[in-house]
Amino acid sequence: MSPRHVTRSRKIESQHRGIATSDGAGVKLTRVLTQHYQRRLDPFLMLDVFASDDPDDYIAGFPDHPHRGFETVTYMLAGRMLHRDSAGHEGLLQSGDVQWMTAGRGLIHSEIPQQEAGVMEGFQLWLNLPARDKMIAPWYRDIAAAELPRFTTPAGVAVTVIAGESHGTVGAVTRDATQPLYLDIHLPAGSRFEQTLPPGHNAFVYVYRGSAAVDGEAVASRTMAILDNAPDSDGVCIEATEDSRLLLLAGRPLGEKIVQYGPFVMNSEQEIYQALADFRDGRLESV
């Protein structure tokens, strides 16, 4: 169990608003963590944010597409999304649910909205796999909102622990290689939250409601703040002057070569060529 008190907070290294884009069959989203930051935020590869009450922005969803070499973590704040994949998995993600999928050696899956109106909002995170695990068997888990570990601090800060450990609460998923921490933190106005972090782990905050301050520096809504890796820091201190919600993510960098081509993330160009050939020849999930 890690100590709760942070003696020296990390500071903000840089802030970024993300890039408006579309994916799948035209789903509109904001790519907050882009390929440009993959090395800096290793082991995290991508963070997409989707939020709209216009069905035209999301209704077509993400029809069948392949993946190999990494994990995806989908966190639904609002809406309903049906997942199906070539490994025989199927699940309905609803408001507050998490889907953790290890693509490993490969699978083909789809994510299709199960609503024709209302708000669709959430996040999809891509988490890298170490070279030794790139070709493991695919794995999948749906975690219902009610099953996600949670706690509330004396200051009224409500924390959902998707991965890792915070204040003695162990998250729904743990990973030895990358040691990801994934927290959804709801801060009432005037509250403060501290989280210990290993100095060598890369970390960032994404504010999606209200605004917050990291070690005194303000972060506006819909902004990612990359935290520095000062060797004398032991965590991060976050404060909110208004009711705010944010994600805090941290992980142990793999320090391996990252070669991405669309939905494939490997360690060499040759491995990418092999993934493309396997997909083309219908062998992606049976290698």
Side-chain angles (χ1 to χ4, degrees):
M1 185 184 302
S2 60
R4 299 186 179 191
H5 183 61
V6 173
T7 59
R8 185 178 178 86
S9 176
R10 295 193 188 200
K11 298 182 182 298
I12 293 174
E13 180 180 294
S14 58
Q15 298 195 40
H16 311 276
R17 294 281 291 177
I19 298 171
T21 185
S22 65
D23 210 335
V27 177
K28 292 184 180 179
L29 49 84
T30 300
R31 186 148 295 160
V32 177
L33 198 172
T34 63
Q35 280 187 264
H36 179 74
Y37 301 108
Q38 285 179 346
R39 177 55 60 189
R40 174 63 188 84
L41 291 174
D42 177 14
F44 303 111
L45 299 166
M46 188 183 81
L47 178 65
D48 281 349
V49 180
F50 50 94
S52 178
D53 59 3
D54 181 352
D56 289 341
D57 289 346
Y58 61 75
I59 199 66
F62 305 88
D64 283 352
H65 57 283
H67 287 303
R68 173 179 282 179
F70 61 99
E71 303 187 274
T72 66
V73 186
T74 305
Y75 179 29
M76 295 291 294
L77 295 180
R80 302 167 70 242
M81 189 90 76
L82 180 67
H83 165 95
R84 288 193 179 103
D85 67 40
S86 56
H89 304 126
E90 179 175 322
L92 180 64
L93 275 179
Q94 303 188 75
S95 299
D97 293 352
V98 169
Q99 178 210 77
W100 196 294
M101 185 182 78
T102 304
R105 64 181 176 237
L107 48 68
I108 298 168
H109 79 145
S110 64
E111 299 151 297
I112 304 298
Q114 300 298 292
Q115 63 190 72
E116 296 180 357
V119 176
M120 177 75 73
E121 183 179 10
F123 311 94
Q124 186 169 91
L125 175 75
W126 286 17
L127 174 65
N128 207 1
L129 286 168
R132 67 174 185 268
D133 294 336
K134 290 284 189 184
M135 297 295 285
I136 61 175
W139 178 88
Y140 163 92
R141 181 183 172 195
D142 269 343
I143 308 162
E147 299 174 354
L148 289 169
R150 292 182 171 85
F151 67 90
T152 302
T153 72
V157 179
V159 182
T160 301
V161 189
I162 296 170
E165 182 269 335
S166 178
H167 294 247
T169 298
V170 178
V173 176
T174 59
R175 287 289 182 266
D176 290 338
T178 51
Q179 299 180 5
L181 175 74
Y182 190 164
L183 306 180
D184 181 14
I185 305 170
H186 296 192
L187 297 104
S191 65
R192 174 185 175 93
F193 179 76
E194 298 183 358
Q195 174 65 40
T196 57
L197 299 171
H201 288 203
N202 292 327
F204 68 96
V205 166
Y206 179 73
V207 178
Y208 65 94
R209 296 275 199 286
S211 61
V214 175
D215 195 40
E217 182 175 340
V219 184
S221 184
R222 297 184 296 278
T223 303
M224 174 178 73
I226 298 176
L227 306 183
D228 69 14
N229 293 74
D232 58 345
S233 66
D234 58 356
V236 61
C237 298
I238 303 169
E239 297 177 304
T241 55
E242 61 179 317
D243 291 351
S244 303
R245 300 183 180 186
L246 57 89
L247 305 180
L248 171 61
L249 293 105
R252 182 168 68 181
L254 293 170
E256 298 174 348
K257 187 175 181 180
I258 301 169
V259 182
Q260 178 179 354
Y261 183 83
F264 307 124
V265 183
M266 304 300 289
N267 300 104
S268 71
E269 288 77 8
Q270 183 55 46
E271 289 173 333
I272 292 292
Y273 298 147
Q274 187 63 57
L276 289 165
D278 290 341
F279 176 52
R280 181 192 63 221
D281 298 338
R283 296 184 288 113
L284 185 70
E285 64 272 30
S286 60
V287 175

